[in-house]
Amino acid sequence: MQIDMMIKTLIETALKQAQLDTWPDIEIEVPNDTTNGDYATNIAMKLARVLRRAPLAIAESLVANMPDNPAFKHIEVARPGFINFYVDKRIYRDVIGEVLQAGADFGASTIGADRRVNIEFVSANPTGSLHIGHARGAAAGDALARIMQKAGFNVTREYYVNDGGNQINQLVRSIDVRYRQALGETITMPEDGYHGPEIIVLAKQLVADHGDRFLHEDGGEQFRQFGVNHLLAALRADLETFRVHFDVWFSEATLYENKTVEATIEQLKASGHTYEEEGALWLKTSHYGDEKDRVIVKSDGSYTYLLPDIAYHADKLSRGFEQLIDILGSDHHGYVPRLKAAIQMVGGGENALEVELLQMVKVLQNGEELKMSKRSGKAITLRDLIDEVGVDPIRYFFAMRSLNTHMELDLDLALKESNENPVFYAQYAHARIASILRNAAEKSLKPNLNRRQFETLQSDKALELLAVLVDYPLTVELAASKRLPHKITQYIQRLAQAFHTFYASETVISEDAEATEERLVMLHAVKTVMQNALELVGVEAKERM
RNA sequence: GUUCCGGUAGCUCAGUAGGAUAGAGCAACAGCCUCCUAAGCUGUAGGUCAAGGGUUCGAAUCCCUUCCGGAACGCCA
């Protein structure tokens, strides 16, 4: 049931009646004031410019030319030239059958056209624990992946493991320092080492397993493997707990092992995108919109970070992905133009890479900003957050904000578990419905879920609740195509509110058998949609609270 | 100095095709449990959309300038 399409058809019919053959895009909007109808269009005002006639007059004649349609109670013209449509909300009752028929697939669409999309997110270095910024990335990336999947994209979630570069050497040094400290040496961690407590744990384990062996022989390779494996395993475990599952864990080191990096250099050289200067190899990224050219091979022969990253993105393209999406922290925004430029040099289109930037999370505790410090290793980890707050509130909270908004996380508030936390509102709605359905079952009421006639659903509250259900598929499409996961949490709030309002205004299980059954069937549909929507942001739909 | 992001109700945030009287949640205030879960419902109050200028029938939205906050500007990653 696509009411906006019906309206479009009505308008087009009227335009043709008026002997017009071209017209501007027809916009259908939902007025924020319901006294201006359920839907409205500004087409008459847009035409006013072209036709040089008063918008009101144009609107009048369009309405006069529209064929009768029972879905609308009333179509009116309003100043300064809007056409307002008042829907006969009884047609919304059809959505119940659609939901129950589709079940978990209600809201699914094909606008993604099975396009192969690679979403890379988190990609934290295996040099410590995941902190709160990664948590935002994980929640946002996974929600986007779920939403796009639902909208018909063929999505792969990918994690790029930086196990090949300098930071791994730094990790080995840090483990070495902690190892020596564990064995009683007085040695201080360098400024740029990894100061997190997890490194100390690793070092103690190494001492337990190998004693002081590596004081006498080089432990570098042992430290590297042990460190990366354990830290990566911990990252993966934390993410799984957070209900984020990656399809691909891509190792940077394999880019060197498979000579992909060398091949990328050769390709860039052969295609004339490079030049040598001052002993370094430069890439002409400024030809593709970057503000200046960038070094990819330093004068000492080593590579900059950009080079393996180009090879990595080229690899993604070679695996057949039509759209690459990177979700990055906003501190990488300066890096985006050079990466986009480079991707075009290795065969990607201008829009092959799309970057979603996440702004920083500001953490408050006791009303004061909590500063993260790399030096002290003091940071709020994802694990701490999960243990103290729980997965549902964290995921919901991150999913509520648009990706590029600066956001604040008040730990005291998150810990409070009160109604200040909006996730409870939604979960409570779902649990309430579950409770009603349980009560009905106890009374041996078995609603016929194949019922398609709902004559008793007449009240404003019930019809309004159905109107929200009708909106769900469009909401998913919008969230997917515009990459706006927070549209889903907004929808969840709207659905929960419509339900709670309905619940407060009428009793579901009553003496009237027919009305009871119709309401129960409707609630099955509401529950299904609520569960579907919560699923898209990775939040559990609770049966009881 | 340059670039990017932000500035909207007391607080946290929506407003992503330029539309009508700028919204939600929380907090505040006033009500509502004999009744399927009160983590709920109903109502009230709350705004110079940072400031100024411009574009037009119409601007929180587009353009310019300024102010404030965050971030990035490396042959680091």
Side-chain angles (χ1 to χ4, degrees):
Chain A
M1 179 184 4
Q2 302 260 322
I3 292 173
D4 55 328
M5 291 311 291
M6 282 167 57
I7 293 174
K8 228 169 218 180
T9 307
L10 280 180
I11 296 168
E12 279 167 2
T13 308
L15 288 163
K16 284 175 194 156
Q17 283 282 321
Q19 311 285 322
L20 288 167
D21 37 60
T22 61
W23 49 78
D25 271 358
I26 298 169
E27 290 175 47
I28 311 294
E29 56 164 40
V30 178
N32 35 33
D33 185 341
T34 52
T35 62
N36 289 318
D38 301 298
Y39 294 88
T41 180
N42 61 358
I43 188 69
M45 287 181 284
K46 286 186 144 188
L47 279 168
R49 214 169 290 189
V50 195
L51 299 180
R52 307 197 144 276
R53 283 177 56 202
L56 275 176
I58 296 171
E60 300 278 7
S61 68
L62 284 178
V63 171
N65 279 326
M66 281 180 199
D68 283 339
N69 188 318
F72 301 101
K73 279 188 301 197
H74 179 48
I75 300 173
E76 70 173 16
V77 172
R79 288 158 64 87
F82 289 99
I83 301 174
N84 299 334
F85 298 81
Y86 293 81
V87 175
D88 183 339
K89 293 197 171 66
R90 286 174 300 183
I91 67 165
Y92 292 154
R93 298 192 287 221
D94 292 346
V95 78
I96 299 172
E98 293 172 25
V99 173
L100 294 177
Q101 176 112 30
D105 286 332
F106 183 73
S109 80
T110 56
I111 60 160
D114 224 24
R115 260 168 75 84
R116 292 198 58 203
V117 178
N118 181 294
I119 306 183
E120 185 209 327
F121 57 110
V122 187
S123 294
N125 295 340
T127 55
S129 303
L130 293 172
H131 59 67
I132 200 160
H134 300 126
R136 183 179 191 182
D142 185 58
L144 185 59
R146 290 173 187 234
I147 292 163
M148 289 182 72
Q149 239 158 14
K150 186 62 74 176
F153 292 89
N154 181 346
V155 177
T156 296
R157 295 168 177 81
E158 187 152 325
Y159 190 116
Y160 182 49
V161 182
N162 291 102
D163 56 2
N166 228 328
Q167 66 281 5
I168 293 302
N169 300 333
Q170 201 59 253
L171 172 68
V172 169
R173 268 194 294 278
S174 303
I175 295 175
D176 187 57
V177 168
R178 294 302 191 201
Y179 177 77
R180 287 166 188 280
Q181 286 175 340
L183 289 167
E185 275 189 35
T186 25
I187 172 173
T188 52
M189 179 66 78
E191 205 55 12
D192 55 355
Y194 295 108
H195 296 253
E198 57 278 1
I199 307 293
I200 298 174
V201 173
L202 286 179
K204 284 187 176 152
Q205 186 61 44
L206 280 164
V207 171
D209 292 349
H210 301 279
D212 63 358
R213 202 178 122 198
F214 299 117
L215 293 182
H216 319 299
E217 58 181 278
D218 178 33
E221 185 51 27
Q222 286 271 0
F223 289 173
R224 191 186 71 80
Q225 281 194 16
F226 185 80
V228 169
N229 287 343
H230 279 76
L231 291 170
L232 212 50
L235 297 184
R236 196 189 298 236
D238 286 355
L239 287 166
E240 291 287 343
T241 307
F242 202 47
R243 303 184 194 130
V244 176
H245 179 80
F246 285 89
D247 306 301
V248 177
W249 292 76
F250 192 97
S251 156
E252 179 189 359
T254 62
L255 293 170
Y256 297 99
E257 290 158 16
N258 301 334
K259 306 288 180 201
T260 311
V261 176
E262 282 80 353
T264 302
I265 298 181
E266 291 315 314
Q267 185 188 351
L268 291 170
K269 276 184 179 168
S271 51
H273 292 299
T274 64
Y275 60 91
E276 291 197 31
E277 196 176 291
E278 295 170 25
L281 189 67
W282 293 72
L283 194 62
K284 298 176 185 169
T285 52
S286 64
H287 289 200
Y288 289 90
D290 195 8
E291 57 181 6
K292 62 178 189 176
D293 295 338
R294 308 289 173 177
V295 169
I296 52 174
V297 182
K298 300 184 235 172
S299 48
D300 68 359
S302 63
Y303 304 145
T304 63
Y305 178 78
L306 180 59
L307 183 55
D309 223 8
I310 298 169
Y312 172 46
H313 284 83
D315 184 90
K316 287 190 205 172
L317 290 172
S318 74
R319 281 183 273 148
F321 291 108
E322 300 161 75
Q323 180 72 61
L324 307 181
I325 299 178
D326 285 4
I327 296 182
L328 302 176
S330 66
D331 51 339
H332 291 87
H333 84 262
Y335 183 70
V336 175
R338 77 191 74 163
L339 187 56
K340 283 190 165 176
I343 285 170
Q344 291 180 62
M345 295 177 193
V346 293
E350 204 177 338
N351 299 315
L353 174 66
E354 179 183 316
V355 177
E356 299 293 339
L357 291 174
L358 294 173
Q359 298 297 326
M360 300 283 125
V361 181
K362 181 171 162 186
V363 183
L364 296 179
Q365 192 164 38
N366 304 323
E368 279 178 27
E369 182 170 359
L370 219 58
K371 288 282 187 189
M372 310 269 174
S373 154
K374 252 193 184 153
R375 273 196 50 211
S376 64
K378 218 178 158 187
I380 296 154
T381 65
L382 174 57
R383 174 56 60 183
D384 293 342
L385 269 181
I386 292 174
D387 290 345
E388 289 175 38
V389 185
V391 173
D392 285 339
I394 305 169
R395 287 209 56 157
Y396 197 84
F397 187 79
F398 283 128
M400 272 170 61
R401 266 54 168 172
S402 72
L403 301 182
N404 74 344
T405 201
H406 297 262
M407 63 177 284
E408 201 170 88
L409 177 62
D410 187 332
L411 283 182
D412 305 314
L413 201 74
L415 284 165
K416 234 189 241 174
E417 287 212 8
S418 72
N419 59 346
E420 289 170 51
N421 206 329
V423 69
F424 293 115
Y425 185 72
Q427 288 180 316
Y428 185 51
H430 187 271
R432 260 183 159 176
I433 296 171
S435 171
I436 295 170
L437 298 180
R438 276 195 303 273
N439 288 335
E442 274 168 28
K443 292 181 172 137
S444 298
L445 293 170
K446 293 191 186 113
N448 173 15
L449 296 182
N450 293 315
R451 176 184 264 278
R452 294 295 179 264
Q453 290 296 310
F454 301 95
E455 292 308 317
T456 70
L457 296 181
Q458 293 279 1
S459 70
D460 287 348
K461 315 280 180 178
L463 293 176
E464 183 49 43
L465 180 53
L466 293 176
V468 178
L469 295 186
V470 169
D471 256 355
Y472 184 63
L474 274 176
T475 304
V476 176
E477 285 184 8
L478 180 69
S481 60
K482 303 277 186 186
R483 326 288 195 236
L484 302 172
H486 70 278
K487 290 286 174 197
I488 300 299
T489 49
Q490 286 180 352
Y491 177 84
I492 289 169
Q493 290 300 301
R494 211 151 65 82
L495 181 58
Q497 180 171 43
F499 165 72
H500 284 307
T501 299
F502 164 78
Y503 176 93
S505 77
E506 50 195 285
T507 309
V508 174
I509 299 170
S510 73
E511 301 298 312
D512 183 336
E514 189 186 3
T516 297
E517 170 162 282
E518 292 187 5
R519 284 188 292 247
L520 286 172
V521 175
M522 175 177 75
L523 289 190
H524 268 99
V526 174
K527 184 167 181 279
T528 299
V529 175
M530 182 58 94
Q531 182 173 358
N532 291 359
L534 286 169
E535 178 78 28
L536 290 185
V537 290
V539 171
E540 191 189 346
K542 292 188 190 294
E543 293 295 315
R544 299 167 194 275
M545 284 176 76

